[in-house]
Amino acid sequence: MEYLKCYEKCKIAFAFQVPSFWVSWESLYESCIADERFDVRLYWLNSSVGDKAQMESAENFLRDKGIPYEVFSYENILRFSPHYMIYQTPYDYGHRTPDMWTIRYKRLGIRIVYIPYGIEISDTKESRAKHFSLSVVSNAFLIFTLSEAMKNEYKKYCLNANAVRAVGLPRFDSLLKQYPFPEKLKVFIGDRKIILWKVHFPKFFLENGVKKQVTPDLKEYLKFIEYIAANQDIFFIFMPHPKFVDNTISEESRFEGLEILKALSQLSNVYIDRDDDYRRSLVHADGIIIDRSAVMVEAGVKGVPVLYMYHQDYKEPMTPSIQKLLDSYYQGTTAADMITFCNKIRENKDGQREQRLDAFRKCVPFCDGCCAERVKNELWKEAHKEAGLEMLKTIKTGARIVIFGTGNMGYVCMEAYQNKGTGKFEIVGFLDNDCKKQGNYVFGREITGIDKITYLDYDYIVIATDKYYRQVYNQLTIEHGIPKEKIISYDEFVIILLFG
């Protein structure tokens, strides 16, 4: 795709998968639709993998909202020939089949855009990899984030940090609007104070090889329901994550989650909100109880008291600007902490209000309703620039290839090679930093450490990892002086094999 000529419209393809992530786009989509400089199409990715619980209602969501769409296909994208493709999640491997991967369309010259579906909140090693190293982020021509402070996090951890623009996130525009309750629910609530209780699914991290639970013990939530039942003068909106009782979580956690839902469904002062759009409940809340979620940042928009809940044995580290906002919230780990918070709401006590409002202004400097306009104008400006698209990688016939990584991605590479690459290229070995794997064989080839790389006769090295991509890339280029031209990412390798 060439750069935009002065007389052309800027063509944007929105690649849609997850209804609950629509809020990250909505104001931008509407702004582009209304702007005669842009030609906009929305494509529904109907062949999804991974977190299907979050994607099952996607087509119904588009129909219910009256949003025009086409089914995503290579042919439809070629026919439209967009300047930009905006993806909704950063997980090519985890959420999409290879025919939908970003690198395939980047190789056509289409400029990939990523607007985070959430906010880069967590500062664990695992989270940093998801925020800054996944293939969509690596392939993006433009990445948008909420502040200069968050842009600095990209500079620390992302090889593609030059693509980042700190102009605010469109998701904050819509939170300044009104979302009326249905009349029946409005009458039912009456003049009672509303507390929004938003929960994530049980979440764990590995820290130094030890499994740590981030979200609160669900037994504490079950205890809290006793308080809800005894205090009918407060109305609670319970909003579970779509995966709260998904079959991907442990049997024990799923059972406790089902117990919570069953108990709450029997209470007259509780409404269980399963809507893909959380904004209506958020903007009406007089107080918010929340565990780990990007919504804990958005919770600061309305200025109401917020209680952040976490597990009593582990407090998840957050990115610096988010941590400052979180520190301005009330904190809790137990049902007793939740009860204390609810009593503050009942009594109109909020000693941390000014600290919280100041922290929110610093954390989210672009909360003026104009984020979508800034993003749109950046898209328009950058579309007119001819430079910026890197040279496409190719693999010469007969090339000797080393695969760095023997986890899931390594197997994905080998599967593609066995299907399409035999006779074209030769896989001559595997590298892995895990000492326990070194000396073993996979697919009939020995796994060696990077210190043995000088003994290998190869043309290219494929980095077969998302999680450790930056670490491995730096090992190869900085520590061992391997030219970047000899390095290929796993997703590009797979796409070259499957589609040429």
Side-chain angles (χ1 to χ4, degrees):
M1 173 63 64
E2 296 180 355
Y3 69 99
L4 186 66
K5 306 297 192 302
C6 61
Y7 54 83
E8 289 181 307
K9 287 192 173 187
C10 181
K11 294 188 284 187
I12 302 179
F14 286 82
F16 176 80
Q17 278 185 285
V18 185
S20 58
F21 299 167
W22 175 251
V23 296
S24 66
W25 278 0
E26 185 183 63
S27 64
L28 175 63
Y29 175 80
E30 292 176 348
S31 182
C32 290
I33 286 284
D35 193 323
E36 62 182 13
R37 296 176 300 171
F38 292 85
D39 185 1
V40 176
R41 308 282 174 87
L42 187 142
Y43 296 90
W44 168 48
L45 281 67
N46 66 333
S47 179
S48 302
V49 295
D51 294 334
K52 292 186 178 180
Q54 296 179 274
M55 305 175 192
E56 287 174 347
S57 61
E59 187 173 24
N60 287 336
F61 177 90
L62 295 173
R63 288 174 176 171
D64 292 345
K65 284 192 169 288
I67 299 170
Y69 68 94
E70 297 177 43
V71 175
F72 187 102
S73 73
Y74 183 73
E75 293 72 23
N76 282 341
I77 297 298
L78 280 186
R79 193 175 297 117
F80 181 41
S81 192
H83 297 95
Y84 293 113
M85 285 181 68
I86 305 181
Y87 275 76
Q88 205 175 21
T89 79
Y91 307 103
D92 269 344
Y93 170 70
H95 283 177
R96 293 177 279 274
T97 50
D99 59 301
M100 300 175 176
W101 286 3
T102 50
I103 190 64
R104 188 181 187 195
Y105 298 94
K106 179 180 179 180
R107 287 175 63 81
L108 296 176
I110 298 172
R111 299 177 178 191
I112 305 301
V113 176
Y114 179 55
I115 299 171
Y117 70 88
I119 295 171
E120 307 88 333
I121 58 171
S122 178
D123 203 29
T124 65
K125 183 183 291 186
E126 177 183 331
S127 297
R128 287 197 295 265
K130 290 180 177 179
H131 297 155
F132 309 119
S133 297
L134 293 179
S135 55
V136 176
V137 175
S138 299
N139 294 329
F141 179 77
L142 288 171
I143 301 165
F144 293 95
T145 194
L146 83 166
S147 66
E148 286 293 329
M150 196 62 75
K151 183 177 178 179
N152 287 335
E153 295 301 300
Y154 278 91
K155 288 179 180 178
K156 281 193 246 178
Y157 303 113
C158 180
L159 288 171
N160 192 27
N162 287 337
V164 179
R165 304 290 185 273
V167 296
L169 295 175
R171 64 192 307 120
F172 286 96
D173 294 342
S174 59
L175 291 173
L176 304 179
K177 300 178 183 178
Q178 296 299 315
Y179 297 88
F181 280 132
E183 193 60 32
K184 185 177 180 181
L185 180 58
K186 186 177 178 181
V187 171
F188 189 59
I189 295 172
D191 59 358
R192 289 181 285 189
K193 289 188 179 295
I194 299 170
I195 294 181
L196 171 62
W197 180 15
K198 186 172 187 332
V199 299
H200 199 273
F201 61 88
K203 177 70 176 177
F204 296 84
F205 283 119
L206 277 177
E207 187 176 81
N208 299 321
V210 179
K211 191 176 181 181
K212 300 281 191 179
Q213 183 169 347
V214 177
T215 50
D217 188 334
L218 292 182
K219 292 181 178 63
E220 294 296 327
Y221 284 172
L222 282 164
K223 291 178 189 176
F224 178 59
I225 294 174
E226 298 174 13
Y227 173 87
I228 296 176
N231 290 271
Q232 294 290 316
D233 61 319
I234 303 175
F235 193 85
F236 291 84
I237 298 178
F238 182 73
M239 187 182 294
H241 190 283
K243 292 173 61 179
F244 183 59
V245 291
D246 190 59
N247 57 16
T248 58
I249 65 177
S250 72
E251 186 176 346
E252 180 184 4
S253 294
R254 189 168 184 269
F255 175 78
E256 290 174 340
L258 289 169
E259 285 290 297
I260 289 171
L261 289 170
K262 180 181 178 182
L264 290 173
S265 68
Q266 296 171 355
L267 299 179
S268 59
N269 62 329
V270 175
Y271 172 67
I272 299 178
D273 187 351
R274 298 179 183 274
D275 197 329
D276 288 318
D277 191 338
Y278 56 84
R279 292 172 294 186
R280 182 183 64 188
S281 294
L282 182 64
V283 301
H284 284 282
D286 297 298
I288 300 166
I289 300 173
I290 193 165
D291 51 35
R292 76 165 329 264
S293 167
V295 180
M296 68 189 185
V297 179
E298 292 166 277
V301 170
K302 303 307 293 184
V304 302
V306 181
L307 171 66
Y308 170 62
M309 293 290 295
Y310 57 95
H311 197 276
Q312 57 191 5
D313 296 330
Y314 179 72
K315 193 169 187 180
E316 181 181 5
M318 299 291 175
T319 47
S321 64
I322 302 301
Q323 187 63 60
K324 290 174 183 176
L325 175 63
L326 205 56
D327 289 343
S328 73
Y329 291 168
Y330 298 97
Q331 311 279 309
T333 60
T334 66
D337 296 325
M338 299 169 79
I339 291 168
T340 298
F341 177 77
C342 292
N343 288 335
K344 287 180 183 290
I345 303 299
R346 174 189 277 123
E347 298 165 10
N348 295 316
K349 293 181 178 178
D350 184 13
Q352 295 180 201
R353 176 179 168 78
E354 292 307 316
Q355 177 190 353
R356 189 173 62 250
L357 293 177
D358 181 62
F360 179 77
R361 284 191 292 268
K362 292 175 180 175
C363 178
V364 188
F366 300 106
C367 193
D368 55 3
C370 299
C371 294
E373 286 297 306
R374 284 188 289 271
V375 170
K376 183 183 70 174
N377 290 334
E378 195 71 23
L379 293 173
W380 177 256
K381 179 182 72 175
E382 293 292 336
H384 289 81
K385 292 184 178 179
E386 189 170 6
L389 290 174
E390 63 188 55
M391 295 292 292
L392 300 179
K393 291 281 177 68
T394 59
I395 302 178
K396 63 184 180 182
T397 301
R400 296 168 61 81
I401 294 166
V402 174
I403 296 179
F404 198 129
T406 57
N408 288 341
M409 303 304 185
Y411 279 81
V412 169
C413 291
M414 280 304 297
E415 185 178 49
Y417 170 73
Q418 290 172 333
N419 287 338
K420 295 282 189 176
T422 306
K424 296 180 181 177
F425 318 125
E426 182 183 359
I427 306 297
V428 298
F430 284 86
L431 297 173
D432 203 294
N433 283 327
D434 187 343
C435 297
K436 295 176 183 177
K437 294 182 178 182
Q438 293 167 12
N440 295 322
Y441 284 77
V442 60
F443 296 102
R445 298 160 179 87
E446 186 179 6
I447 303 171
T448 62
I450 195 170
D451 56 312
K452 301 290 195 305
I453 198 166
T454 54
Y455 301 103
L456 294 174
D457 178 18
Y458 65 91
D459 297 297
Y460 303 100
I461 298 176
V462 175
I463 300 181
T465 176
D466 266 336
K467 189 173 183 180
Y468 302 108
Y469 189 91
R470 183 188 177 103
Q471 174 185 326
V472 172
Y473 184 88
N474 288 342
Q475 268 188 295
L476 294 172
T477 58
I478 298 173
E479 296 177 25
H480 292 272
I482 294 169
K484 64 180 181 179
E485 293 78 18
K486 287 195 169 192
I487 297 173
I488 299 175
S489 63
Y490 80 90
D491 56 322
E492 187 151 24
F493 179 69
V494 170
I495 294 303
I496 290 171
L497 286 175
L498 296 182
F499 306 108

